[in-house]
Amino acid sequence: MFKTLHKYASPMHFHALARRWSTPLLWLSAVLFAAGLAGGLVMAPADYQQGESFRIIYVHVPSAWLSMFAYMVMAGAGAVSLIWRVKLMDALARAAAPLGASFTALALATGSLWGKPMWGTWWVWDARLTSELLLLFLYLGYMALQSAIDDRRAAARAGAVLAVVGVVNIPIIHYSVEWWSTLHQPATITRLGAPAMATSMLIPLLLMALAFQLLFFALLFIRARSELLEFEQRSLWVRELLGQGSPR
Amino acid sequence: MTNELREFFAMGGYGLFVWSSYGLTALLLVGNLVLAVRRERRVIRELSRRLPVGAGHDPA
Amino acid sequence: MTPRRRRMLTIGLLIAGMALATGLILQAFEQNLMYFYSPADIAAGKAPPDRDFRIGGMVVEGSVQRDPQSLAVTFELTDYQHQTTVQYTGILPDLFREGQGIVAHGRLDAAGQFKAREVLAKHDENYMPPEVAASLKKAPPGVRP
């Protein structure tokens, strides 16, 4: 078990694994998207309060979940890299940042498009929205740091410290709706207790969340491959790989 | 266009908000994929140009 | 202590320190983090008397009075402990209805009525089709608006 783990933590093996899995993940995600969209846009009934506008939930909630999940990947990889000095983790953290930033921006934009018709405003400075905006700035700060520092290892280390420090924002985002009064409502789906949502509406949401999640892993793998090639450009396996002609 | 289709696109009067959300999502997801694939191609192209096979240590 | 253990400890302390500092800051700014006050807060005198603030609560059933000549509307806001009268002139969001949670931005007048400049609707975390909602006999009202 530990041996397998060690094997896949090697850049060469992870690169091969990522090459094998990205395309199947993309296809699986596409199938789930088709099912989730059919369920969410056509089959799910309109909401008793919000009517048809509630269908924005099927893109808003998965992107909001991913915005936090991507950060946990980035910060977790950063912490492992700081402690154990694993190159693969630097590559994963660098790959996760632009993905996390884009899903955070998407969560904010779709939330705004949902807030306008329902709440009556595009934006409010309540604790939930503000902490999610802070998350976007953490991602952008990480990316700026990566492009500002030329030395790849120094950049990865500085970024990892930023990511680890910023991780305190994640529980704040999650619990903001419970700790303080906010315009944003509390969570519909919680770990404990039944979800506050009819089953016909819930199933498409779970399908969409899974589709987003698999797409995230596919994108993470593709991006991590580029990072690994750059990190390891002087090693033999990269030379051999490139010598064999460009892998698609 | 049939009535049912028109109703579907109207989304009970919230069509503008619902469809711009889904449009933005599609744009961002596809864009993410295109950017990731293009970045990998660029990295491979540049590294193959910079690092001819069999060359010695090449300070990047 | 190995270097690895030392790094682990450093990172652990870093996160713990950040969490502690953030916790203290959030504690200190508790009042500013609250997006709105409740009618009970106002009854207890917690709301600022001469400054704009937000009030949140449920619109009392049967309390909405619309002026037929203008967009002026008056309604009662409750948190099931206290009530505040809210006056507002303008367009209300789609979700505004009796029994619905709202957040209003404005200030208290001398008579203790809330003059709102802006009214936002707040919805809950429950999603269901209309038939289910209708068959769910008046669920016990939650305290949270």
Side-chain angles (χ1 to χ4, degrees):
Chain A
M1 159 76 195
F2 196 77
K3 216 170 173 184
T4 331
L5 210 70
H6 199 262
K7 180 180 149 191
Y8 281 109
S10 99
M12 181 177 78
H13 280 101
F14 188 86
H15 186 273
L17 179 103
R19 255 173 95 183
R20 193 152 357 110
W21 281 98
S22 61
T23 313
L25 280 173
L26 278 178
W27 282 112
L28 203 54
S29 162
V31 171
L32 285 166
F33 264 114
L37 285 174
L41 286 173
V42 184
M43 273 135 85
D47 181 57
Y48 76 119
Q49 288 260 321
Q50 306 189 37
E52 307 281 350
S53 78
F54 102 100
R55 296 185 196 282
I56 296 175
I57 201 173
Y58 296 116
V59 288
H60 174 71
V61 165
S63 50
W65 282 349
L66 260 191
S67 73
M68 291 190 275
F69 181 78
Y71 196 91
M72 292 310 290
V73 169
M74 188 173 95
V80 170
S81 145
L82 284 176
I83 297 169
W84 285 282
R85 304 272 149 89
V86 188
K87 254 187 227 163
L88 169 64
M89 292 299 156
D90 289 339
L92 282 181
R94 272 174 72 111
L99 300 175
S102 65
F103 285 111
T104 310
L106 185 63
L108 289 169
T110 52
S112 199
L113 284 164
W114 196 2
K116 184 59 186 171
M118 287 300 107
W119 296 345
T121 181
W122 298 104
W123 180 262
V124 291
W125 292 100
D126 80 353
R128 170 53 75 80
L129 278 65
T130 309
S131 54
E132 182 77 7
L133 184 65
L134 181 63
L135 184 68
L136 180 62
F137 291 148
L138 282 171
Y139 280 122
L140 296 181
Y142 180 93
M143 287 158 71
L145 211 52
Q146 297 307 299
S147 59
I149 304 175
D150 282 333
D151 179 50
R152 222 176 278 280
R153 300 191 67 177
R157 201 165 302 172
V161 172
L162 173 71
V164 166
V165 164
V167 87
V168 290
N169 190 36
I170 296 293
I172 293 180
I173 296 174
H174 183 78
Y175 289 108
S176 56
V177 289
E178 291 171 25
W179 289 346
W180 304 295
S181 66
T182 51
L183 189 60
H184 196 288
Q185 71 285 1
T188 296
I189 298 166
T190 52
R191 201 150 301 195
L192 310 162
M197 194 177 203
T199 314
S200 52
M201 300 165 149
L202 180 66
I203 289 169
L205 181 58
L206 298 179
L207 288 173
M208 288 295 274
L210 196 57
F212 268 75
Q213 190 72 47
L214 294 186
L215 178 65
F216 170 77
F217 278 118
L219 293 171
L220 185 73
F221 283 0
I222 299 174
R223 281 199 169 269
R225 289 199 309 244
S226 315
E227 300 297 341
L228 286 172
L229 289 182
E230 283 194 333
F231 268 107
E232 294 269 285
Q233 50 182 277
R234 293 199 213 160
S235 67
L236 195 62
W237 70 270
V238 172
R239 283 153 185 274
E240 281 177 357
L241 199 73
L242 296 178
Q244 288 165 7
S246 326
R248 284 253 145 165
Chain B
M1 204 155 59
T2 67
N3 258 345
E4 268 170 25
L5 260 184
R6 199 169 308 139
E7 233 169 67
F8 177 68
F9 284 112
M11 281 285 160
Y14 297 117
L16 183 67
F17 299 102
V18 173
W19 295 118
S20 16
S21 295
Y22 279 80
L24 257 174
T25 304
L27 200 74
L28 196 124
L29 298 186
V30 173
N32 252 326
L33 183 60
V34 170
L35 285 180
V37 170
R38 280 224 310 237
R39 172 158 157 71
E40 189 180 30
R41 290 210 182 127
R42 198 178 59 237
V43 167
I44 288 173
R45 193 161 359 100
E46 268 175 28
L47 289 185
S48 342
R49 188 166 50 80
R50 265 219 309 265
L51 304 170
V53 192
H57 247 45
D58 185 8
Chain C
M1 198 188 285
T2 63
R4 182 186 302 163
R5 293 283 295 277
R6 203 184 59 236
R7 291 198 295 262
M8 217 183 280
L9 196 68
T10 312
I11 287 170
L13 286 176
L14 189 69
I15 295 178
M18 270 306 289
L20 186 69
T22 316
L24 289 174
I25 291 170
L26 293 179
Q27 199 69 34
F29 288 95
E30 175 93 50
Q31 284 300 304
N32 299 323
L33 287 165
M34 286 301 185
Y35 189 64
F36 54 81
Y37 294 88
S38 64
D41 290 337
I42 291 170
K46 282 189 199 157
D50 44 1
R51 183 163 68 74
D52 278 15
F53 65 94
R54 291 187 193 82
I55 179 174
M58 290 285 190
V59 179
V60 176
E61 301 270 358
S63 75
V64 178
Q65 291 169 9
R66 289 170 199 271
D67 180 351
Q69 258 83 57
S70 68
L71 285 171
V73 57
T74 309
F75 55 88
E76 293 289 317
L77 208 59
T78 182
D79 55 4
Y80 304 104
Q81 295 171 49
H82 290 86
Q83 287 198 1
T84 305
T85 307
V86 178
Q87 298 175 357
Y88 175 66
T89 304
I91 295 165
L92 292 160
D94 291 5
L95 266 188
F96 181 91
R97 54 193 73 149
E98 293 178 351
Q100 177 74 37
I102 64 117
V103 175
H105 192 196
R107 65 173 68 192
L108 285 174
D109 67 5
Q113 295 202 333
F114 193 83
K115 302 263 191 212
R117 287 190 292 104
E118 183 189 35
V119 172
L120 302 177
K122 179 170 165 52
H123 59 78
D124 60 21
E125 68 276 29
N126 302 305
Y127 299 90
M128 59 187 113
E131 311 88 70
V132 177
S135 69
L136 267 181
K137 290 201 166 192
K138 293 270 176 200
V143 183
R144 210 182 246 279

